[in-house]
Amino acid sequence: MVKTTCPYCGVGCGVLAEVGADGSVSVRGDPNHPANFGRLCSKGSALAETIGLEGRLLHPEIGARGASWDEALDLVAQRFSTVLAEHGPESVAFYVSGQLLTEDYYLANKLMKGFIGTANIDTNSRLCMASSVAGHRRAFGADIVPGTYEDLELADLVVLVGSNLAWCHPVLYQRIVAAKEKRPEMKLVVIDPRRTMTSDIADLHLAIRPDGDVALFAGLLAWLARSGLLDRDFIAAHTSGLEDARAAAEELSPADTAAVTGLTEAELRAFYELFAHTERTVTVFSQGVNQSISGTDKVNAIINCHLATGRIGRPGMGPFSVTGQPNAMGGREVGGLANMLAAHMEIGNGAHRERVQRFWNAPTIAARPGLKAVDMFRAVADGRIKALWIMATNPVDSMPDADRVREAIAACPFVVVSDISAETDTIRHAHVKLPAAGWGEKDGTVTNSERRISRQRPFLDAPGEARPDWWIICEVAKRMGFRAAFAYASAAEIFAEHAALSGFENDGERGFDIGAYGGINEASYEEMEPFQWPVRADEIEVALSPDTPFSAAARRGEMSGRTKGGALRFFADGRFFTADHKARFIAVRPTPQRETDAEFPLILNTGRVRDHWHTMTRTGKSPRLSQHSAEPFVELNPEDAARFGIGDADIVRLASRHGEMLARALLTERQRRGSAFVPMHWTDEFSARARVDALVAPVTDPISGQPASKTMPVRAERFAARMFGFAVLRAKPGLIDADYWGLARCRGGWRLELAWAAEHEDWQVFARSLLGNEPTADLLAYHDAANGRHRFVSITCGRLAGALYLARAPLAVFRNWLVEQLADDQAHSRLALLAGRPGKGQADHGAIVCSCFGVGASQIAAAVGDGCATVEAIGATLQAGTNCGSCCAEINTIIAANRLAAAE
Ligand code: SF4
């Protein structure tokens, strides 16, 4: 049994992984990990399904040919060195990732800022939480998340702003649900333009206009001030700038606030009353706040209200940023963003630069901020960047203006990609591909949203020639002439140096301090328990290697793994990291919201679905996870859909001034009128044209540089499909000759949705090319040419090998029953298969709701009809919702819908 950490979201759940005698892997939640206490969500529970070697990059490649590690590393070092010699340090860039481990991140940053001599290293974390970083630094003087997860349970009011916690941070959501069940008087407010699954347990859902958050919280500050509810003692002793912030906030009348937020004055008053009179309040914010042209101001508008009420640093209180990525926080600690130095030091501070350079014994140090993500790819496009190394991320899909980013990478003279996947939309443009070790193979640490550092430990051998990212960076650095500074033998050595730097000449001036672990030895690193920073050198005793050069103060005694002080919250003493140690109120005003017009009448919001992660390089391998949302979709309000002539399940063409895409229409009242929602996960590997970031403009927050990914004006129109198709297949299809398609893993193979603008001349030819031409296969066919219905079923040895169903309208075949037949080893009823519907005594379970136990919507509806009226009753009958609990909100929705239908 190996204790490790989930590689997905910023909750950072502890995982116990075990490799059986037959080599099979099983995972379960670590009951002793303080982030999750044994819980895992659907994604974490399915981790074992995502570690297969299918699609893995196993050997270095140069161009289209295989290469040895020496050959590939020599070429990377030589090309970067040549570009540096000819064009200087500003001509190279690294684009890295919140999926890297802290040790990898630390070295990438060290190489770029201390040895190459530029800060042109940025990360996909720029797309995730850069506005939170900027907001924290403005208010606190440092990038500090003050609270802990426990505060979410201790609070009497939890305010979720721009956060679909139920799907994006499910275990935190479960912790809130459990706390609310114990204390029903605890209140939850959800502020989100969409009525997401998170809203289902909310006492108040404010369906705010996109980007109305600054006005909402400025209005709250003004209301608190007007009502005499400011904490005057705290403000006087520990803050500055209230009057300016208050004056800015009072520029909006209550009526203005209502207009900008799209909320009624009664709704505003209800929220303001609740906030004002609930001392134990935590405000959680996530991508809906960060991914905005006013993201940093939103963060400060929220923090202003907590400072105004003195609700920070105490149990059950505080502003709380939760990160999307597993190690966005670790990246922040090592200075992985282009505008930061290592260990929370600042590029703009000469003393900090000198200190870091001296600590690293580096030949140089970046003297000014580098290019942030959007600017970096602009520089790639216009030729300023001539050598680019992309690590563990997929910018061709995830960056805004993704088509231009793709063109820029394709035109860049030298592109290196290190990744675990051989088939991403980015790696196909690489001149050199470097196979990285993946989750389960890597050794290192990650930091979660509550500042808790946990180990990721290997339990599998790295396959093929895959190597840890830190090793790859070191080998390139050594070949570039920096041998001594990159002569690490293990992840433990790197962590020891990173920890020592955090405590280096740190007399309390910097909040990030894990100096106690400076110089930690291999054995202690191996056993290291999850811990929250800070852990200063004088707070803990760590067993150290006797010859460590770092942190003499920590070189005493045995490792206890626990802080002696136990201080988990920042700012309890009212002391901040600004020059005068006071927190700063920031005067914020609403910026003009992005407007729609006649050509682009909808605001597009992008986000995540429950069971997928980023660009699906990992979750796309899991049949369980791929069933919940099996194709790209766009959520539209039914009134908008009617306005644009779009019906449920139609194919929709979405277009902006930057690009277009196709997705299935999903009509729902949960979607605010005038807006659309599309998930960010689909790539060219899983769909025909569904890269949503191709539509998103490269518009950024002026302070943080974070792209505004959630407010893009677009238009939606019905794609004039003449033919629709659904297929199940044992083997992954090659080239798919269709205008629209969405491919998803399922048990036993793949499922495929299709649509065409024009009919094929001969569907039999298409069916044969899709289903394969195995000589032993029987291809059964049914044609109703007059009505445009065609069905094909391929049977091999009595078993279903593949099936294709075609019709002129969205198909009503029994998808989940067909998927089950694919996985079933029994002989099948040919008639039922050809009809695409279950035979007598069989049933289609409907769209999968509970991924853990494969329970479908029809089963749940039937159980409700049989008298199950609660989630617990459904769990007792069908098991649904009893493992990870990620589907409980949806089960509730089905119960409510069916009870309503029964009552009507
Ligand atoms: S909430 Fe889910 S995805 Fe996030 S760390 Fe925990 S198990 Fe992983």
Side-chain angles (χ1 to χ4, degrees):
M1 185 73 69
V2 171
K3 286 185 171 192
T4 184
T5 311
C6 176
Y8 291 126
C9 83
V11 179
C13 296
V15 172
L16 299 177
E18 192 164 25
V19 183
D22 61 354
S24 64
V25 172
S26 60
V27 299
R28 62 189 167 90
D30 181 350
N32 297 317
H33 195 288
N36 57 319
F37 297 108
R39 295 180 179 95
L40 291 178
C41 74
S42 52
K43 292 184 284 290
S45 302
L47 272 166
E49 292 176 26
T50 66
I51 51 181
L53 296 189
E54 183 185 289
R56 278 294 294 268
L57 180 66
L58 295 173
H59 305 281
E61 292 178 22
I62 297 174
R65 68 172 174 86
S68 69
W69 266 113
D70 275 340
E71 200 183 358
L73 294 165
D74 285 347
L75 179 62
V76 173
Q78 180 253 315
R79 289 295 297 268
F80 267 81
S81 298
T82 302
V83 171
L84 280 170
E86 291 178 359
H87 304 282
E90 301 305 325
S91 59
V92 302
F94 292 171
Y95 186 66
V96 303
S97 164
Q99 282 67 47
L100 290 175
L101 302 185
T102 299
E103 291 75 2
D104 308 322
Y105 235 140
Y106 175 80
L107 290 193
N109 189 55
K110 178 178 177 180
L111 173 58
M112 193 50 114
K113 291 184 183 145
F115 291 79
I116 291 176
T118 169
N120 282 348
I121 172 170
D122 214 45
T123 153
N124 59 10
S125 298
R126 178 74 58 194
L127 317 180
C128 171
M129 50 67 209
S131 294
S132 285
V133 174
H136 289 156
R137 290 171 76 182
R138 286 205 301 188
F140 308 144
D143 176 25
I144 306 273
V145 175
T148 84
Y149 292 163
E150 189 188 37
D151 290 324
L152 300 175
E153 296 160 330
L154 296 174
D156 294 322
L157 170 63
V158 176
V159 183
L160 296 175
V161 194
S163 164
N164 184 7
L165 210 70
W167 280 16
C168 300
H169 299 92
V171 165
L172 273 191
Y173 172 77
Q174 301 284 340
R175 287 181 67 165
I176 293 172
V177 170
K180 199 164 159 44
E181 277 169 7
K182 271 195 210 138
R183 289 190 298 122
E185 68 277 13
M186 177 183 176
K187 295 281 186 283
L188 183 72
V189 175
V190 172
I191 299 166
D192 195 318
R194 299 167 69 209
R195 187 153 50 82
T196 63
M197 285 297 159
T198 306
S199 317
D200 281 26
I201 61 158
D203 299 280
L204 179 64
H205 169 225
L206 299 178
I208 193 168
R209 272 185 76 188
D211 279 350
D213 313 75
V214 171
L216 178 69
F217 283 92
L220 174 56
L221 180 65
W223 194 86
L224 291 166
R226 272 198 305 275
S227 309
L229 294 168
L230 301 179
D231 184 337
R232 289 283 174 195
D233 291 344
F234 181 87
I235 291 167
H238 303 301
T239 71
S240 65
L242 172 67
E243 291 317 315
D244 285 349
R246 180 178 172 176
E250 288 178 341
E251 288 171 15
L252 284 185
S253 69
D256 294 336
T257 306
V260 177
T261 58
L263 302 170
T264 64
E265 290 190 43
E267 285 176 310
L268 291 172
R269 203 164 38 250
F271 170 52
Y272 292 171
E273 288 277 355
L274 199 52
F275 188 101
H277 298 293
T278 313
E279 183 168 33
R280 286 186 175 231
T281 295
V282 174
T283 307
V284 176
F285 49 96
S286 189
Q287 263 63 318
V289 164
N290 292 328
Q291 293 178 334
S292 161
I293 46 170
S294 53
T296 308
D297 281 353
K298 290 184 186 184
V299 171
N300 287 110
I302 292 167
I303 293 173
N304 282 349
C305 294
H306 280 270
L307 295 177
T309 48
R311 294 177 192 158
I312 193 163
R314 291 189 283 151
M317 302 177 210
F320 205 126
S321 149
V322 288
T323 66
Q325 300 174 305
N327 200 28
M329 291 284 275
R332 286 147 76 164
E333 291 156 13
V334 303
L337 292 158
N339 53 328
M340 296 166 71
L341 209 49
H344 280 204
M345 283 180 268
E346 294 175 10
I347 291 183
N349 182 321
H352 287 185
R353 290 200 305 274
E354 185 278 329
R355 184 184 295 145
V356 174
Q357 183 174 4
R358 180 158 43 90
F359 180 88
W360 280 341
N361 194 20
T364 181
I365 194 78
R368 57 191 161 92
L371 295 166
K372 295 171 185 160
V374 168
D375 291 335
M376 181 183 285
F377 285 100
R378 282 194 182 119
V380 174
D382 66 25
R384 277 175 288 154
I385 299 296
K386 299 174 195 323
L388 173 67
W389 186 351
I390 299 166
M391 302 181 197
T393 185
N394 196 0
V396 164
D397 295 318
S398 54
M399 281 293 295
D401 206 7
D403 286 349
R404 302 297 93 67
V405 169
R406 177 170 58 192
E407 288 161 15
I409 294 172
C412 184
F414 188 62
V415 177
V416 181
V417 174
S418 38
D419 207 316
I420 67 168
S421 299
E423 295 165 2
T424 71
D425 291 340
T426 297
I427 206 168
R428 56 180 122 253
H429 301 290
H431 298 95
V432 180
K433 302 173 189 171
L434 303 175
W439 183 80
E441 303 149 11
K442 295 183 73 165
D443 197 15
T445 55
V446 288
T447 307
N448 73 4
S449 298
E450 62 166 354
R451 294 175 276 108
R452 190 176 299 282
I453 295 175
S454 299
R455 292 273 282 111
Q456 267 197 22
R457 295 183 173 88
F459 52 89
L460 297 167
D461 293 333
E465 294 181 87
R467 296 283 184 275
D469 287 283
W470 67 260
W471 181 90
I472 301 172
I473 296 163
C474 285
E475 290 304 308
V476 171
K478 287 180 203 165
R479 284 164 169 80
M480 290 178 74
F482 311 125
R483 181 160 294 279
F486 289 86
Y488 302 95
S490 68
E493 278 187 18
I494 303 163
F495 182 82
E497 181 180 310
H498 160 59
L501 176 55
S502 76
F504 186 58
E505 298 178 359
N506 187 356
D507 56 0
E509 158 210 24
R510 310 191 306 272
F512 174 62
D513 187 341
I514 54 169
Y517 290 84
I520 187 172
N521 64 19
E522 299 279 344
S524 298
Y525 183 72
E526 184 49 41
E527 289 165 13
M528 196 165 86
E529 294 289 329
F531 69 94
Q532 273 179 304
W533 60 261
V535 192
R536 299 186 180 95
D538 54 2
E539 287 184 274
I540 190 172
E541 295 171 341
V542 180
L544 298 172
S545 157
D547 54 358
T548 178
F550 303 116
S551 194
R555 217 176 294 160
R556 305 187 300 262
E558 296 298 311
M559 180 175 181
S560 70
R562 298 277 179 270
T563 59
K564 283 181 178 167
L568 299 174
R569 292 178 189 89
F570 270 93
F571 313 137
D573 56 1
R575 200 175 154 82
F576 296 84
F577 292 95
T578 51
D580 60 1
H581 301 297
K582 291 186 170 186
R584 296 187 200 105
F585 282 94
I586 304 294
V588 292
R589 294 172 178 83
T591 45
Q593 288 157 310
R594 297 174 84 185
E595 295 295 344
T596 55
D597 55 27
E599 194 181 355
F600 299 106
L602 294 170
I603 289 289
L604 171 67
N605 177 6
T606 65
R608 301 187 200 148
V609 298
R610 191 191 77 188
D611 287 356
H612 275 310
W613 185 250
H614 283 194
T615 55
M616 289 201 272
T617 49
R618 209 189 295 268
T619 51
K621 289 181 171 185
S622 162
R624 269 199 287 164
L625 297 179
S626 299
Q627 293 312 291
H628 185 248
S629 302
E631 64 179 318
F633 63 86
V634 49
E635 284 186 357
L636 293 167
N637 183 278
E639 282 187 29
D640 288 328
R643 195 153 55 104
F644 304 126
I646 295 166
D648 206 15
D650 272 346
I651 307 299
V652 175
R653 190 202 309 273
L654 284 170
S656 74
R657 288 201 165 85
H658 293 263
E660 62 172 53
M661 63 171 292
L662 297 176
R664 181 80 65 179
L666 212 157
L667 309 190
T668 169
E669 299 281 357
R670 289 175 171 270
Q671 191 63 34
R672 203 176 192 280
R673 277 199 301 280
S675 65
F677 172 81
V678 176
M680 51 153 313
H681 309 290
W682 272 270
T683 67
D684 286 348
E685 198 189 341
F686 292 101
S687 58
R689 292 150 68 190
R691 292 163 52 248
V692 69
D693 279 298
L695 278 67
V696 175
V699 173
T700 60
D701 176 284
I703 298 156
S704 70
Q706 177 154 1
S709 305
K710 290 181 170 289
T711 47
M712 187 66 209
V714 298
R715 71 166 167 268
E717 60 199 19
R718 185 175 164 274
F719 174 74
R722 298 283 303 276
M723 188 63 88
F724 294 82
F726 174 74
V728 289
L729 309 143
R730 283 206 182 280
K732 187 178 182 183
L735 200 63
I736 300 169
D737 183 11
D739 296 309
Y740 167 86
W741 54 266
L743 182 67
R745 261 265 179 228
C746 64
R747 267 195 333 127
W750 299 85
R751 58 185 285 177
L752 178 64
E753 301 284 349
L754 300 144
W756 295 263
E759 293 209 26
H760 273 254
E761 271 182 23
D762 186 342
W763 286 110
Q764 186 101 6
V765 172
F766 176 81
R768 283 203 179 279
S769 74
L770 185 72
L771 302 179
N773 284 317
E774 264 190 61
T776 56
D778 286 344
L779 187 68
L780 316 179
Y782 163 86
H783 301 280
D784 173 359
N787 292 304
R789 290 199 200 106
H790 306 270
R791 298 176 197 150
F792 302 90
V793 173
S794 174
I795 304 276
T796 309
C797 304
R799 289 182 60 206
L800 177 63
L804 169 67
Y805 304 86
L806 299 160
R808 288 185 184 146
L811 281 119
V813 288
F814 291 79
R815 286 169 167 75
N816 290 290
W817 176 77
L818 284 165
V819 162
E820 281 166 29
Q821 305 317 296
L822 199 63
D824 190 348
D825 280 342
Q826 306 300 312
H828 296 96
S829 158
R830 295 176 173 223
L831 211 57
L833 289 173
L834 204 53
R837 62 178 58 241
K840 207 169 169 215
Q842 296 179 307
D844 183 289
H845 295 151
I848 296 299
V849 174
C850 171
S851 300
C852 297
F853 296 109
V855 181
S858 306
Q859 287 173 285
I860 296 168
V864 176
D866 290 341
C868 293
T870 62
V871 173
E872 291 71 30
I874 294 289
T877 307
L878 299 170
Q879 285 187 287
T882 58
N883 185 35
C884 73
S886 299
C887 60
C888 289
E890 283 164 282
I891 294 173
N892 245 331
T893 306
I894 296 170
I895 293 170
N898 281 276
R899 294 179 75 188
L900 188 67
E904 282 170 354

